[in-house]
Amino acid sequence: MKKIGLVTNSNSLSWIVESYSAAGIDVRAAVALDGVWPDSVGCAQAESVTALKTEYGVDIVHLVASPQDQSDLALELFAVGCDVVLTLPTVCQPTQVKRLLEAAAANQADLYWFAPQRFDPAYRSAKEKLESGALGPAAVVRLEHTQSSNFSNVRTLPAAASVAEALVCDLDYLHWCFGPIQRIFVRGTADLDPSHPKQILAVARMAQGPIVHIQAGFTSDAGEDRWALEISCRDGMIVHDSSSSQGLFVQGPAAERPLAGPFSWLLHQNAIGRFGRDLLSGLAPTGEELLQLSYLVEGALVSLRSKQLTVFDQEVSG
Amino acid sequence: MKRIGLISMAHMHAYSYAQALGTLSDRVVLSGIFDSDDERGRKAAEQFSVPYQSNLGTLLACSDAVIICSENVYHKEYTLAAAAAGCDVLCEKPIATNEADALTMIEACEKAGVRLQIAFPVRFSAPVCRAKQLIADGKIGDVLCIKGTNHGQMPGGWFVDPALSGGGAVMDHTVHVVDLIRWFLGKEIISMYAEVDNMLYGEQIDDCGMLTMELEDGVVATQDPSWSRPRTFPTWGDVLLEIVGTKGTLRVDAFAQGLAVFDDTNKQVVQHGWGEDMDQLLIEDFVTMLENDQNPSITGYDGLQAMRAALAAYESARQAKAVSVAR
């Protein structure tokens, strides 16, 4: 079985290791990018990213870093023959993704990426329900993804990068469920005032027919992410809202809210566990898929900047 | 005491308007009902214990004002007749099915010196009114963008006959949210991009769509006017708004004031509204305007602009690009 390593900051390290562990997957070793090693992390501490390979024999490294750092770290890992998993906020400019794919190929390594909605049990379940045909064909899809306005990336990332980050999950989920995206029209507050929390409103059309509304942004003041979907089909409708699906509410200070906080803890834990199993089975979303997604994100940004419709070549979107 | 006639029971709101007039019997009298569908009109007249008038002229002659709830395509004909008879008009939305008809209606009422009000009852929802006040008071700062929905179930009947309705879900539901956005912000919509289609019911009319609008100050808004609520949905639909400002975000649910009722007999969960009746408040507003000789709170121009947005949505979908909205 391939061995997994982790590169991230100390504040994410413990829970990602625990998430893999909960799925029965050991993280062999990890690197804390900020140099702070939290107490009681269930894996060994590597001194450097290359040491993950040379000292611990890690085959695949799950990389959780800012988009600015991801490319350099991934190239370093490819150079020692490690496969790499990118995590949001991820590199998603086509030129960057192509460069990573080329580097991976040159070193007989593979590039993967963690597409969160594909592993979120609610979103997976919605896809399965659609595919069962019980509700008939989908007509209108609404995806909503609101992150906390306190999320550090909001203020530090350039507008285009944060918009890309906001849209990448939703575009991936759409493509995963419904196939090619035919066209997209994107507007939002990022083109009005880049200093404000970003809110993106997009209307898209799938090649198979469904009309899509995407709301993605960083305006939640509730201190937690909110993910919601609504899919109207000919014979029924699927609705999910993460803010009402946590199943456990504890009154008191934020620190005592086990299912709240910056991440919907158990959902993410569950998603990472599922992802880990797919990763070890060679079924995780690939770098080629990320490249395809990067073209969609690029098209969305063109629409945002031009205030015009972007129509995708079938070859790109398909 | 003002006399108000009811022209046509084609639109379901006619029944709640008639009921509302009944509660104001100390202020107004429902002078009668005329309907091009004789049987429908007679039944309604019997239901509300008022005279049925088989001749429109007879109804107009005994009325100071009329409420028009006909199929959309006949709004112009009835408004012109009412104006010629000197009757003020409350016209169900949309004002008309095309711009020329709407302009003719507005002009005819102006020339005749009668008032034309358009029925946008959602303006009278308590959460909506409070939201308008909060925006006006600057509580969320400058508005940056708005996400709106006016979902519904497919109403059937003449609503799905383009010759009578002028359009499907987009015509039916765009106008409500557009009116609220214009009312909240006092700005006009200048451009529209829309996806419009027919995928839910197999009728020969649009049943779903998605609109993206830009207002004259750069505010961006989207709206989902789809008839996309399943038959098992607890209520007919919704009017939801999320308004993002520089200082905060407002979420408005115009119909949230209701009980969830789990009905085993009908095997359905239904929402039983307990909030204030918007249709009642709309009628009270119209009656107050008549009594005090005021200007309408919702003008023909408001109706025109809301309808122009809906028409622009169809045009955008036809051209597959963003289009300008007439002002």
Side-chain angles (χ1 to χ4, degrees):
Chain A
M1 184 183 283
K2 289 190 171 182
K3 300 180 186 69
I4 292 179
L6 176 63
V7 175
T8 184
N9 283 318
S10 54
N11 59 357
S12 301
L13 212 155
S14 296
W15 75 265
I16 296 177
V17 171
E18 282 174 28
S19 299
Y20 275 115
S21 180
I25 300 167
D26 287 330
V27 174
R28 182 70 172 237
V31 173
L33 285 170
D34 53 5
V36 179
W37 190 256
D39 294 335
S40 65
V41 177
C43 71
Q45 180 181 10
E47 291 302 315
S48 66
V49 292
T50 51
L52 288 168
K53 180 71 175 181
T54 56
E55 291 183 27
Y56 296 94
V58 163
D59 303 298
I60 309 173
V61 175
H62 190 151
L63 184 53
V64 185
S66 70
Q68 297 94 315
D69 296 334
Q70 277 186 29
S71 285
D72 291 343
L73 290 166
L75 291 172
E76 205 174 336
L77 287 160
F78 287 143
V80 294
C82 279
D83 296 341
V84 172
V85 176
L86 300 180
T87 305
L88 293 174
T90 183
V91 169
C92 58
Q93 287 179 295
T95 51
Q96 290 176 311
V97 180
K98 274 185 191 170
R99 185 169 159 238
L100 292 179
L101 282 170
E102 286 165 5
N107 292 283
Q108 284 86 47
D110 288 317
L111 176 65
Y112 300 100
W113 78 288
F114 174 50
Q117 284 165 314
R118 295 201 208 183
F119 299 96
D120 180 311
Y123 283 75
R124 285 176 80 99
S125 178
K127 182 173 187 281
E128 287 164 10
K129 189 70 181 170
L130 285 170
E131 287 173 348
S132 76
L135 301 178
V140 183
V141 180
R142 301 183 63 86
L143 298 177
E144 200 170 313
H145 169 206
T146 310
Q147 299 183 59
S148 168
S149 54
N150 297 323
F151 193 44
S152 58
N153 282 330
V154 179
R155 303 287 177 190
T156 56
L157 286 178
S162 61
V163 168
E165 187 189 331
L167 284 174
V168 69
C169 297
D170 295 319
L171 292 177
D172 178 67
Y173 185 70
L174 286 173
H175 191 268
W176 189 50
C177 286
F178 302 103
I181 297 172
Q182 194 173 66
R183 53 186 185 253
I184 192 164
F185 188 78
V186 185
R187 298 301 308 274
T189 59
D191 57 333
L192 300 176
D193 184 349
S195 68
H196 280 300
K198 284 84 179 178
Q199 180 87 353
I200 302 302
L201 299 171
V203 171
R205 192 65 185 261
M206 308 306 294
Q208 290 179 11
I211 296 171
V212 179
H213 183 277
I214 301 172
Q215 179 187 16
F218 301 91
T219 55
S220 167
D221 51 8
E224 59 193 76
D225 290 2
R226 177 169 174 263
W227 300 71
L229 68 78
E230 180 187 289
I231 303 172
S232 297
C233 303
R234 192 192 58 207
D235 301 317
M237 184 165 73
I238 300 169
V239 177
H240 165 66
D241 187 333
S242 67
S243 66
S244 58
S245 303
Q246 294 177 351
L248 175 61
F249 298 91
V250 180
Q251 289 190 319
E256 295 175 15
R257 297 168 64 194
L259 300 187
F263 300 97
S264 298
W265 178 264
L266 289 186
L267 285 178
H268 278 264
Q269 195 172 58
N270 188 317
I272 285 179
R274 283 173 183 267
F275 172 77
R277 286 192 288 271
D278 275 9
L279 185 62
L280 294 176
S281 308
L283 299 173
T286 64
E288 291 294 340
E289 289 176 87
L290 182 60
L291 177 62
Q292 192 176 51
L293 182 61
S294 72
Y295 289 122
L296 298 177
V297 172
E298 188 179 53
L301 287 169
V302 168
S303 175
L304 180 76
R305 292 181 183 123
S306 67
K307 302 182 182 180
Q308 299 295 325
L309 181 69
T310 292
V311 180
F312 294 109
D313 290 339
Q314 198 72 359
E315 199 173 304
V316 169
S317 65
Chain B
M1 186 176 285
K2 295 288 183 183
R3 303 163 301 164
I4 298 179
L6 191 45
I7 298 179
S8 182
M9 305 301 289
H11 198 291
M12 59 285 264
H13 283 170
Y15 294 86
S16 58
Y17 296 158
Q19 196 168 348
L21 288 169
T23 68
L24 302 174
S25 56
D26 56 333
R27 297 168 63 187
V28 290
V29 59
L30 177 53
S31 52
I33 292 173
F34 163 82
D35 201 323
S36 59
D37 181 332
D38 210 52
E39 185 183 347
R40 182 175 62 198
R42 285 184 191 283
K43 271 188 186 170
E46 190 177 328
Q47 179 183 342
F48 293 104
S49 305
V50 297
Y52 175 69
Q53 304 290 359
S54 58
N55 181 287
L56 177 61
T58 309
L59 177 73
L60 293 172
C62 65
S63 302
D64 301 304
V66 292
I67 301 174
I68 298 172
C69 290
S70 66
E71 298 86 346
N72 300 340
V73 74
Y74 300 129
H75 287 178
K76 181 184 88 167
E77 174 187 333
Y78 292 135
T79 299
L80 297 188
C87 291
D88 294 310
V89 174
L90 173 62
C91 181
E92 183 56 50
K93 63 82 198 167
I95 183 173
T97 58
N98 61 70
E99 186 164 322
D101 280 7
L103 289 168
T104 302
M105 290 163 66
I106 293 168
E107 191 180 358
C109 289
E110 283 174 357
K111 278 188 178 168
V114 302
R115 288 161 290 199
L116 172 60
Q117 178 162 344
I118 306 301
F120 284 128
V122 190
R123 282 200 194 190
F124 298 91
S125 151
V128 167
C129 291
R130 182 70 180 134
K132 178 172 166 49
Q133 189 61 50
L134 291 169
I135 293 168
D137 292 345
K139 298 293 185 189
I140 61 166
D142 297 329
V143 172
L144 295 171
C145 68
I146 299 173
K147 177 192 72 172
T149 67
N150 183 189
H151 295 124
Q153 294 171 326
M154 194 272 289
W158 63 266
F159 283 89
V160 296
D161 180 349
L164 295 174
S165 63
V170 171
M171 177 62 89
D172 191 27
H173 282 177
T174 295
V175 291
H176 282 300
V177 171
V178 164
D179 179 65
L180 293 182
I181 291 171
R182 292 182 63 252
W183 188 50
F184 283 162
L185 304 183
K187 304 287 183 188
E188 295 296 349
I189 290 161
I190 59 169
S191 76
M192 172 74 70
Y193 172 76
E195 295 281 354
V196 179
D197 213 327
N198 168 0
M199 290 187 279
L200 287 163
Y201 297 100
E203 299 286 350
Q204 297 306 307
I205 202 162
D206 57 286
D207 55 26
C208 57
M210 206 69 76
L211 284 53
T212 306
M213 301 162 263
E214 180 173 349
L215 279 76
E216 54 195 344
D217 58 353
V219 170
V220 176
T222 60
Q223 193 210 341
D224 181 348
S226 305
W227 288 336
S228 57
R229 300 304 91 169
R231 285 182 294 277
T232 47
F233 201 69
T235 183
W236 62 270
D238 63 43
V239 174
L240 302 171
L241 292 164
E242 184 170 320
I243 304 161
V244 177
T246 53
K247 294 182 189 170
T249 300
L250 274 180
R251 293 190 183 89
V252 184
D253 183 342
F255 293 91
Q257 295 174 318
L259 303 174
V261 178
F262 296 80
D263 180 350
D264 281 354
T265 306
N266 295 304
K267 295 183 170 51
Q268 202 171 18
V269 180
V270 293
Q271 179 170 316
H272 183 76
W274 51 258
E276 288 194 275
D277 181 341
M278 302 174 203
D279 289 351
Q280 174 81 30
L281 294 171
L282 169 75
I283 294 301
E284 286 182 20
D285 175 76
F286 183 64
V287 169
T288 302
M289 175 199 79
L290 296 175
E291 289 172 336
N292 298 337
D293 201 20
Q294 298 166 332
N295 291 321
S297 59
I298 309 167
T299 65
Y301 182 73
D302 291 329
L304 171 65
Q305 288 306 102
M307 184 200 66
R308 279 173 163 163
L311 296 176
Y314 286 117
E315 186 60 20
S316 168
R318 198 180 64 76
Q319 294 189 29
K321 66 176 191 179
V323 299
S324 298
V325 179
R327 279 187 282 175

